[in-house]
Amino acid sequence: HKPSLYGAFGDKKALYLAALDNYLAEVRAEFAEAFALPKLADALHAVTERSIEKYGDGAGCFMMNTAIPVAAEDPEIARIVRETMESLDRALIRRFRKAVEAGELPEAADLETLAMLMAANNHELSAKARAGYSRQELREMSDRALAMVKRLSGTGTA
């Protein structure tokens, strides 16, 4: 019932922002759980698998589908999108740094590039899921990205 929803949230934008915040909190928690896995390969696989499960069946990422298209016209939404993307980059860099400390990646590994590759893979998963790619196609794409991380890291163990 529209009046009771707007009464609870204020207006349509406030309702949207609450839904986006709830979605992003859920994704952050799922990714944090994956990043906590002891082995880097398992952590990265878990992140991509969670994305595939969440984005599959044509849904894509709620933020990518709804916030990105209006970010250029709404500074508040642009700030949320930017903060979210930068938060993912930082979380990936922290996870790669942990892998360096554990000896899974060499000291000279370019953590920012590895993080950029994995973040780009996540965004691509969303776009392709939305475009109708199957979960199997998304998994094959993710496998290629994970293989590239292994090559770029110079270890073959990521």
Side-chain angles (χ1 to χ4, degrees):
H1 188 78
K2 206 185 263 189
S4 62
L5 276 176
Y6 289 168
F9 292 98
D11 61 15
K12 187 176 181 180
K13 182 177 177 184
L15 175 60
Y16 168 75
L17 290 173
L20 180 61
D21 184 59
N22 185 63
Y23 173 81
L24 293 173
E26 182 181 299
V27 170
R28 278 188 213 88
E30 290 174 3
F31 280 18
E33 184 179 298
F35 288 145
L37 294 172
K39 297 283 186 190
L40 178 62
D42 294 339
L44 296 178
H45 177 76
V47 165
T48 59
E49 192 58 32
R50 281 172 171 80
S51 294
I52 290 167
E53 288 305 313
K54 186 170 283 303
Y55 305 159
D57 300 326
C61 171
F62 180 60
M63 182 190 79
M64 298 295 285
N65 293 340
T66 64
I68 298 274
V70 298
E73 294 136 21
D74 188 311
E76 182 179 13
I77 291 175
R79 178 189 53 77
I80 291 167
V81 168
R82 186 177 182 105
E83 287 174 359
T84 301
M85 291 177 149
E86 290 171 357
S87 175
L88 176 58
D89 293 343
R90 287 189 306 270
L92 284 161
I93 290 168
R94 280 193 306 272
R95 185 58 188 91
F96 285 124
R97 190 170 294 125
K98 181 178 172 183
V100 169
E101 292 166 2
E104 292 182 278
L105 292 177
E107 292 278 336
D110 183 346
L111 307 185
E112 287 79 15
T113 298
L114 295 173
M116 183 181 67
L117 175 65
M118 290 308 301
N121 179 62
N122 193 58
H123 303 318
E124 182 79 357
L125 287 172
S126 172
K128 287 194 172 179
R130 186 76 171 166
Y133 284 65
S134 71
R135 289 174 193 239
Q136 182 58 37
E137 289 171 308
L138 298 176
R139 284 188 179 95
E140 290 168 5
M141 187 185 80
S142 274
D143 289 346
R144 288 191 305 275
L146 293 173
M148 180 61 73
V149 167
K150 289 178 189 179
R151 285 192 295 278
L152 288 175
S153 70
T155 66
T157 61

